[in-house]
Amino acid sequence: MAVELKVPPLGESITEAVVGKWNKKQGESVAADEPLVVLETDKVTIDVPAPAAGSVASIAFKEGDKVRVGDVLGTIEAGGAGASAAVAAATPAPAQAAAPVSAPAAPAQSDARITPTARKMAEENRVDVGQLKGSGTGGRIMKEDVQGQLNRPSAPPAPAAPSGPRPNAAREERVRMTPLRKRVAERLIQAQSTAAMLTTFNEVDMGEVMALRKKYNDKFQAKHGVKLGFMSFFIRASVEALKAFPQINAEIDGEDVIFKHYYDIGVAVSGSRGLVVPVVRDADKLSLADLEKTVGDYGGRARNDKLTMADLTGGTFTITNGGIFGSMLSTPILNPPQTGILGMHNIVERPVARDGQVVIRPIMYIALTYDHRLVDGREAVQFLVRVKECIEDPERLLLDI
């Protein structure tokens, strides 16, 4: 008995994916619920499990093909009476799961999916909002998304078809961009075309935090089951700075400024297929141990392609740490529609002046890229100074001063 393997619901506002990898070949045996095929979207990767035990009877889409929700990826020939019975019971499930998803598809395109300002701009400029990918919470289309579409050149910057014969083709390898990488590229271009980005820098003496870690890390790990890292300190320091300078925790929506009185901090982590930014919700309410556990869990799931859309949605401010790769200094790019992003870098022993004496201290350069439309240079500089103060005197974080 043949059982269809269908593309499952992919998440809010996502209707298509790319077949990333088949874990089995046609004719090979497969166990029930064994991950059979990997689908890649512009946000996450999804493992599609085998609906029954048996063998792969057919494969309808090869790696690199685009598929839509409900498409039949292939079929499983159920093997054995027990497997056939399980298949008979489970066969209706894909259809039942797909039906309620496709039914409300039309409302998802309603006014709830786009801000009034963005809809007005789209109508005035005859922009097809159905072709836009929203950067707001839950994929909501913002004014910046429409403006970004208007700012795009009429011709695509890169040809859709191969560029033609290449003199060194025999020594080159052509690989199709993954949906995630294409989405990252789109977001970077969008940020540069819709925000007035500027970066300011400062340096942080990491000596006190490093001493604190050395003194308490063993006890911390024994009690909480996780190491005491630097990221939790920088998240807490960023939250304190955001409270002092709320413009950097805000966003521009049309002619309005939305000030967010919550602190959902995106932390850039390296996944198996590129950089992703899961969000630490209500970071101001979490302890250092909770922050370390959350970031550690996100990092592990990113490496194993287990992050969900909910993990990546939203965020009011972002922190990226290029220092783990050896970066000395960088100018991070905003994550629209956010107003600020903090860049951490490597820690290097440098000669600095302290009380008239030259001493060697562990120094990290930090950078804040901000949207100059909303944030003035004074606030941006003071924000970094506040982060610097919290890191250089970590007791402030514990005493909330």
Side-chain angles (χ1 to χ4, degrees):
M1 176 180 178
V3 183
E4 292 181 338
L5 176 70
K6 292 186 176 182
V7 178
L10 302 172
E12 184 180 356
S13 76
I14 300 180
T15 59
E16 68 177 21
V18 171
V19 177
K21 178 184 179 183
W22 281 94
N23 296 323
K24 297 286 185 177
K25 297 179 181 179
Q26 188 168 336
E28 290 186 339
S29 61
V30 62
D33 297 324
E34 179 181 357
L36 183 55
V37 60
V38 178
L39 300 181
E40 299 179 2
T41 73
D42 59 6
K43 299 277 176 109
V44 294
T45 58
I46 299 170
D47 287 324
V48 182
S55 60
V56 180
S58 66
I59 293 178
F61 295 92
K62 64 180 184 298
E63 295 178 3
D65 285 349
K66 286 187 178 181
V67 294
R68 299 183 65 83
V69 173
D71 283 349
V72 177
L73 294 165
T75 56
I76 305 296
E77 185 64 36
S84 298
V87 169
T91 299
Q96 291 172 357
V101 173
S102 57
Q109 303 293 328
S110 65
D111 289 344
R113 185 177 172 265
I114 183 171
T115 65
T117 304
R119 179 169 292 282
K120 181 180 179 182
M121 176 181 287
E123 291 174 350
E124 291 175 348
N125 294 276
R126 298 182 179 180
V127 174
D128 182 5
V129 296
Q131 303 300 315
L132 299 181
K133 294 180 180 179
S135 60
T137 302
R140 197 179 191 199
I141 297 174
M142 315 297 289
K143 176 184 176 182
E144 290 78 9
D145 301 318
V146 180
Q147 187 64 54
Q149 180 68 20
L150 294 174
N151 291 340
R152 289 182 180 177
S154 56
S163 56
R166 300 176 62 84
N168 290 303
R171 295 188 292 170
E172 297 175 340
E173 179 184 7
R174 184 184 294 271
V175 178
R176 186 180 297 274
M177 290 179 69
T178 64
L180 174 61
R181 176 51 57 188
K182 287 191 289 186
R183 181 58 173 158
V184 169
E186 291 170 359
R187 297 274 288 180
L188 294 178
I189 294 298
Q190 176 192 354
Q192 291 180 321
S193 63
T194 60
M197 289 192 296
L198 190 62
T199 305
T200 186
F201 305 92
N202 211 318
E203 64 179 21
V204 177
D205 187 330
M206 298 294 293
E208 292 299 322
V209 167
M210 293 174 71
L212 194 65
R213 288 181 67 211
K214 183 177 181 180
K215 182 177 181 180
Y216 291 109
N217 186 58
D218 290 343
K219 294 181 179 179
F220 186 90
Q221 188 171 3
K223 180 176 181 179
H224 301 291
V226 64
K227 291 182 179 180
L228 179 60
F230 293 126
M231 183 56 74
S232 57
F233 286 98
F234 275 93
I235 292 176
R236 288 285 295 272
S238 296
V239 168
E240 293 304 311
L242 291 171
K243 290 179 179 179
F245 303 99
Q247 308 95 311
I248 306 176
N249 200 50
E251 72 173 79
I252 297 174
D253 184 15
E255 297 181 356
D256 300 326
V257 177
I258 301 176
F259 290 92
K260 302 171 185 178
H261 303 297
Y262 55 96
Y263 305 91
D264 291 348
I265 308 300
V267 179
V269 296
S270 182
S272 65
R273 290 173 173 82
L275 193 70
V276 290
V277 187
V279 179
V280 179
R281 311 287 175 183
D282 294 317
D284 58 316
K285 301 177 182 178
L286 300 180
S287 66
L288 292 178
D290 291 332
L291 291 172
E292 291 293 346
K293 290 177 182 178
T294 302
V295 173
D297 175 64
Y298 278 149
R301 288 198 281 142
R303 290 188 293 273
N304 294 294
D305 297 325
K306 299 300 181 183
L307 290 174
T308 67
M309 283 296 299
D311 297 327
L312 303 170
T313 301
T316 64
F317 182 79
T318 295
I319 301 176
T320 180
N321 183 9
I324 60 176
F325 304 111
S327 171
M328 181 187 77
L329 198 61
S330 67
T331 55
I333 295 179
L334 289 175
N335 186 13
Q338 296 173 19
T339 305
I341 178 172
L342 177 70
M344 299 166 55
H345 302 92
N346 61 357
I347 302 171
V348 177
E349 290 190 341
R350 305 182 191 280
V352 296
R354 293 286 188 270
D355 299 323
Q357 301 292 322
V358 176
V359 296
I360 304 299
R361 300 294 298 171
I363 301 296
M364 175 192 288
Y365 295 141
I366 57 176
L368 175 73
T369 297
Y370 58 98
D371 191 341
H372 211 346
R373 296 177 301 167
L374 184 58
V375 181
D376 291 332
R378 179 185 63 181
E379 286 81 16
V381 170
Q382 289 178 325
F383 175 94
L384 276 191
V385 169
R386 179 64 173 169
V387 171
K388 173 184 172 72
E389 291 172 346
C390 289
I391 298 299
E392 292 186 344
D393 187 7
E395 285 82 0
R396 297 173 68 116
L397 296 175
L398 304 177
L399 299 176
D400 192 25
I401 58 175

